[in-house]
Amino acid sequence: MHRPRRPRRQAAHPGPGVECGRLPVPLDYAKPDGEKIDLALIRVKATGDRLGSLVFNFGGPGASGVDSLAMSASAFSKLGTRYDLVSFDPRGVDRSAGVTCGNEFAEMMASDADADQDALAKEFVQACRQESGKVLPHVGTVNAAKDLDLLRAALGDKQLNYLGFSYGTHLGAVYATHFPKNVGRFVLDSAFDPSVTYEERAVIQATGFDQALDAFAEDCVAQSCELGATPAAVVKTIEDFVEGLKTEPIKVGDRELTYWLGQLAVITPLYAKQSWPVLEQATAAALKGNATILLALADSYTGRRADGTYNTMMTSLQAINCADYAERPTSAQMAKINERVKKIFPVLSFDGVTSGGASSGRSAGTTRPGASTPPARRPSWSSAARATRPRRSGGRRA
């Protein structure tokens, strides 16, 4: 789970002086003069002596760059004195022909731990194909890198200046591989190795969360913790709580904090020390029967809005990962991986998932590395105050 470095998803309302725009790019780079899709853009114009543009990718895959920059532009104000700060929703994400999959993702998250997860995953894949079948063969990091070069050219920059976090480092590296002569100033922060196997990624992730939970427990006890008197006791409290959700989900209004949602609720605050107090408070409340905060944490992870709809973060993530990685774990491989994960970080156990699940819906047809890139078009910009969301390609929201 490569998580974006950004605040949680909200509508993009960055304030005065900010432009939202669209850039048409080929749906299929093998047919550069064929059908186009619009990439959603955001730009914060330089306030001083301008050197050019600086394009951001905040991570994911699946995160909206438009929303991320809208909410974090002030943190980059010093860079903004010399550079236009620019970001975009990559293809298959949110406003840029975002991948939607009906209500199946919500149903997977709300399902009981003993539900047939493989059957739910197959329904999820079918819904993705039905709603987003046109764009699915054309998502992925290689095509996103080609889009990035069209964006560079459309911005009028001879070379791309780029700042990428987490997954954004992978996109930056792929861009540099395909367009080495167009690389300007590049910063790749929190890089990950795309060559590791599915099993290795799962183990690395579990190890990281295990270390974060241990650190949280030590910090919690040092400040008089509601969850236990020792770090080991705190860890056991959380592990037992999540395990208990398998058989006894907690009602929250007309919803439930299920096992799957409980997992996400617990790991979400572990990403940053600043949110550790929320984990303590939320878990303590849930142990007393009030899981409202934990459910809100899970919703923040999955991109669920107050009206019950979802942004495309999780569905886009699945589609892009399927395009980027060829691995499709078998039932035996998944069981082996799960046993390794359980020994390291039991909270992330995925008992009941016997195959690669949604991975079976892999998109085929991403363009070959040598495919040509068409001439750049100029993006159309409008002030953020009157910008509307681009028309979506690929069906209704989940």
Side-chain angles (χ1 to χ4, degrees):
M1 298 179 188
H2 300 296
R3 294 278 289 160
R5 280 190 172 191
R6 66 183 187 91
R8 293 307 310 156
R9 167 73 159 84
Q10 300 175 17
H13 296 296
V18 179
E19 298 173 314
C20 294
R22 307 179 188 183
L23 177 67
V25 297
L27 171 67
D28 183 352
Y29 273 99
K31 302 174 181 178
D33 296 323
E35 184 175 356
K36 302 294 190 292
I37 58 174
D38 283 343
L39 296 186
L41 312 176
I42 184 171
R43 177 168 65 182
V44 183
K45 297 297 289 288
T47 58
D49 187 9
R50 181 180 179 276
L51 291 175
S53 303
L54 177 62
V55 179
F56 290 75
N57 182 284
F58 293 87
S64 166
V66 172
D67 292 326
S68 299
L69 184 56
M71 291 183 285
S72 62
S74 60
F76 301 100
S77 58
K78 190 172 182 179
L79 283 171
T81 61
R82 304 301 303 275
Y83 293 95
D84 291 344
L85 307 182
V86 178
S87 194
F88 64 109
D89 290 355
R91 63 171 56 214
V93 174
D94 211 346
R95 304 164 181 83
S96 299
V99 173
T100 60
C101 304
N103 294 318
E104 271 65 23
F105 176 75
E107 292 175 5
M108 290 172 68
M109 290 294 97
S111 66
D112 295 331
D114 59 357
D116 187 341
Q117 297 300 316
D118 280 351
L120 289 172
K122 289 177 181 178
E123 292 174 4
F124 172 79
V125 169
Q126 184 57 37
C128 294
R129 287 173 174 160
Q130 182 176 344
E131 294 201 356
S132 302
K134 183 173 71 173
V135 72
L136 282 176
H138 307 292
V139 299
T141 304
V142 170
N143 280 341
K146 295 178 183 297
D147 293 341
L148 196 54
D149 197 57
L150 288 183
L151 175 58
R152 172 203 60 78
L155 291 169
D157 294 334
K158 291 184 178 180
Q159 292 185 310
L160 176 69
N161 299 315
Y162 178 82
L163 175 52
F165 301 101
S166 191
Y167 164 79
T169 68
H170 179 46
L171 175 58
V174 171
Y175 178 88
T177 300
H178 284 259
F179 304 100
K181 295 182 180 179
N182 295 345
V183 173
R185 295 176 172 91
F186 261 49
V187 177
L188 306 180
D189 189 336
S190 305
F192 71 94
D193 184 354
S195 68
V196 299
T197 65
Y198 182 94
E199 180 173 350
E200 289 170 331
R201 291 196 298 275
V203 169
I204 291 169
Q205 175 177 267
T207 301
F209 279 126
D210 180 61
Q211 293 170 349
L213 182 59
D214 285 345
F216 157 77
E218 292 177 4
D219 182 77
C220 192
V221 169
Q223 303 181 55
S224 184
C225 189
E226 291 188 68
L227 305 180
T230 66
V234 172
V235 170
K236 188 175 189 304
T237 295
I238 291 176
E239 290 177 348
D240 289 349
F241 168 76
V242 174
E243 182 70 18
L245 293 174
K246 286 183 176 180
T247 54
E248 296 184 15
I250 301 175
K251 290 283 292 183
V252 181
D254 60 354
R255 300 175 63 200
E256 288 185 333
L257 182 73
T258 62
Y259 175 62
W260 309 112
L261 290 172
Q263 287 181 316
L264 299 182
V266 167
I267 67 173
T268 297
L270 292 177
Y271 279 100
K273 186 175 181 178
Q274 295 91 325
S275 56
W276 287 356
V278 179
L279 177 57
E280 178 190 5
Q281 176 189 0
T283 306
L287 289 168
K288 299 173 183 176
N290 183 354
T292 303
I293 301 175
L294 283 180
L295 188 59
L297 287 170
D299 288 347
S300 75
Y301 194 106
T302 60
R304 188 182 192 272
R305 305 186 185 93
D307 63 2
T309 62
Y310 287 78
N311 66 27
T312 72
M313 180 185 293
M314 301 304 289
T315 48
S316 300
L317 181 148
Q318 296 287 345
I320 294 168
N321 280 344
C322 280
D324 283 359
Y325 296 102
E327 288 182 280
R328 300 294 177 264
T330 64
S331 297
Q333 289 171 328
M334 288 295 287
K336 175 187 173 185
I337 294 169
N338 188 42
E339 288 306 310
R340 291 191 66 184
V341 168
K342 285 174 67 174
K343 290 178 181 178
I344 299 168
F345 188 62
V347 169
L348 276 187
S349 167
F350 43 92
D351 291 319
V353 181
T354 58
S355 73
S359 296
S360 61
R362 180 176 188 266
S363 308
T366 49
T367 56
R368 63 191 186 281
S372 61
T373 301
R377 300 187 178 208
R378 295 195 63 80
S380 58
W381 298 99
S382 61
S383 67
R386 59 187 176 86
T388 58
R389 293 177 63 86
R391 177 175 53 82
R392 299 177 59 80
S393 171
R396 62 188 175 84
R397 281 189 176 275

